[in-house]
Amino acid sequence: MQSVRIYEMPACKMVSSGTGMFGEGNFNLFDEWLSLQRRSLFPKDFLYHAGEGFVWLYMYEDGMNVPKEFEIIDFQGGLYAVATDIDQKTDKELMNTEIDRFLSENGFERDTSRSELGNIITSPLAKEIMEYEQMDYYIPVRAK
């Protein structure tokens, strides 16, 4: 069984929180706004580390009511290697070893020109039952 999968994200528009930290102004506002969005089959929000903080993204849809505090940006999209683990308990060294082995065996390499992304995939009901959340880690890749 493979524990890494390849996912292609389309180029699209994303709503951006701007750079910040959890518990701070725009991040709190983004979290509140995000909680008002209708849940879909798959999570539409992604987080990445940006130097002094994090940037939270949410896939934009035409007609969406976006607070003026947030920017709508162009998201490049592309291929990603995706691995799943328990949020905040991931052995990143082991995960990276597994991802690199998968990439090497399947004709891919890491694409360091794009940011790694993450998102929580656990529904509130599943979190209540499991008492933790699962996270998908998106590693940008390209053909060798």
Side-chain angles (χ1 to χ4, degrees), residues 68-87:
K68 66 181 179 354
E69 292 85 355
F70 308 132
E71 184 179 0
I72 298 172
I73 64 166
D74 290 318
F75 179 77
Q76 179 181 356
L79 293 172
Y80 290 83
V82 184
T84 304
D85 206 345
I86 298 173
D87 185 34

Side-chain angles (χ1 to χ4, degrees), residues 21 24 34 42 49 57 68-70 114 123 129 132:
M21 296 296 286
E24 294 180 353
L34 186 64
F42 298 102
H49 191 260
L57 302 173
K68 66 181 179 354
E69 292 85 355
F70 308 132
R114 296 179 290 138
S123 72
I129 295 165
Y132 65 87

Side-chain angles (χ1 to χ4, degrees), residues 25-39:
N26 257 21
F27 256 57
N28 286 344
L29 184 59
F30 195 88
D31 191 28
E32 290 171 19
W33 176 76
L34 186 64
S35 70
L36 298 174
Q37 305 310 306
R38 228 177 63 214
R39 286 185 54 82

Side-chain angles (χ1 to χ4, degrees), residues 55-72:
V55 176
W56 208 345
L57 302 173
Y58 186 84
M59 188 175 269
Y60 176 77
E61 296 173 13
D62 287 335
M64 185 177 274
N65 184 14
V66 178
K68 66 181 179 354
E69 292 85 355
F70 308 132
E71 184 179 0
I72 298 172

